[in-house]
Amino acid sequence: MLKFYYHPTPNPLKIALFLAETDLPFELVPVDTAEGQQHTPDFRAINPNGKVPAIEDDGTVVFDSTAILIYLADKTGQLGGAPEDRGAMLSWLMFIASGLGPFSGQSVHFHHTAPEDIPYAKNRYMRETERHYQVLNDHLKGREFIVGDSYSIADISAWGWAIRGDRVLGGEGLAQFPEVDRWFKAINARPAVEKAQQMGKGETFKTPGDEASLRALFPSNYVNA
């Protein structure tokens, strides 16, 4: 059975939604990142990069949310989009993986977690996050879905970050980008979303904030400490 290494954060939530949409059987394996469980030898054997999500599927190991979405879509024949849209699918998945997601994460870090107030970093990452959302907003004009004419892993991937839009963007949140807001509300109303958000609800995950959790989440900050 497929093992899903999980923590209730944006990238694992994408995989949770795919599994909820497709009803694939799986075993949930909680990884408490604030406790540093992603750095254990056993987990590093699954993902040498020490991050969630990851999956094991009958001997095949896949890590990184985008790689997992592509793998599962190819394996199941579901939510991968039409063959003629493959180029657009890969392009938008990489746009999310290399742009919208990382800049959102860094913006949150410098606005809410960094021990020092660094105006340049806060401005840099917020402006780039907003720019990426504007690109997506412009693309969604006249479109129901990100790629082609049907719901796909591109929508799932973007949803994983958009669900944190208020925290990422501040102010009016996604309302600043009306096309994204319209798209998000439609995706977020899907029955599988609630199912995905309930995954792991019975598990207890440490709330980050103390030094031990910060060392676990941002180990490179403490290399010379």
Side-chain angles (χ1 to χ4, degrees):
M1 180 182 291
L2 185 147
K3 289 185 177 180
F4 171 32
Y5 294 86
Y6 170 85
H7 186 271
T9 41
N11 287 319
L13 278 169
K14 302 172 187 181
I15 311 309
L17 182 53
F18 184 97
L19 294 171
E21 292 281 8
T22 57
D23 287 324
L24 277 177
F26 66 95
E27 174 189 350
L28 191 75
V29 183
V31 179
D32 195 334
T33 56
E35 290 281 6
Q37 293 175 357
Q38 71 276 31
H39 303 308
T40 63
D42 285 348
F43 186 76
R44 286 297 182 98
I46 302 299
N47 183 358
N49 196 32
K51 294 181 182 295
V52 287
I55 63 169
E56 287 183 275
D57 182 31
D58 294 329
T60 297
V61 173
V62 190
F63 59 86
D64 185 274
S65 61
T66 302
I68 296 168
L69 288 173
I70 294 171
Y71 172 84
L72 291 176
D74 288 348
K75 172 186 171 73
T76 63
Q78 298 183 66
L79 302 176
E84 61 268 23
D85 293 327
R86 184 70 170 182
M89 176 66 69
L90 293 174
S91 297
W92 283 102
L93 285 171
M94 295 309 130
F95 167 83
I96 297 161
S98 65
L100 188 146
F103 279 99
S104 294
Q106 293 297 332
S107 184
V108 168
H109 179 79
F110 283 106
H111 279 86
H112 300 288
T113 305
E116 302 172 39
D117 183 11
I118 308 175
Y120 175 84
K122 290 165 72 173
N123 182 69
R124 161 71 176 164
Y125 285 111
M126 179 61 81
R127 298 291 86 80
E128 276 295 284
T129 300
E130 292 171 342
R131 186 185 70 79
H132 281 88
Y133 269 99
Q134 188 62 57
V135 170
L136 183 58
N137 192 77
D138 293 344
H139 173 71
L140 282 168
K141 289 177 181 176
R143 295 175 179 271
E144 187 175 357
F145 304 106
I146 294 176
V147 174
D149 298 322
S150 62
Y151 174 67
S152 73
I153 55 174
D155 300 293
I156 290 173
S157 185
W159 169 86
W161 278 105
I163 200 169
R164 301 292 178 88
D166 289 347
R167 181 167 175 79
V168 169
L169 294 164
E172 299 177 29
L174 290 180
Q176 302 168 68
F177 303 96
E179 299 296 336
V180 175
D181 192 43
R182 168 189 57 80
W183 160 87
F184 173 70
K185 287 175 179 175
I187 302 302
N188 211 42
R190 295 178 67 88
V193 166
E194 182 176 359
K195 185 177 177 182
Q197 291 177 313
Q198 291 302 312
M199 286 186 192
K201 284 295 185 183
E203 303 293 334
T204 300
F205 294 97
K206 180 177 179 178
T207 300
D210 63 8
E211 183 178 343
S213 66
L214 294 177
R215 285 178 176 273
L217 292 168
F218 312 112
S220 58
N221 289 356
Y222 297 90
V223 169
N224 297 316

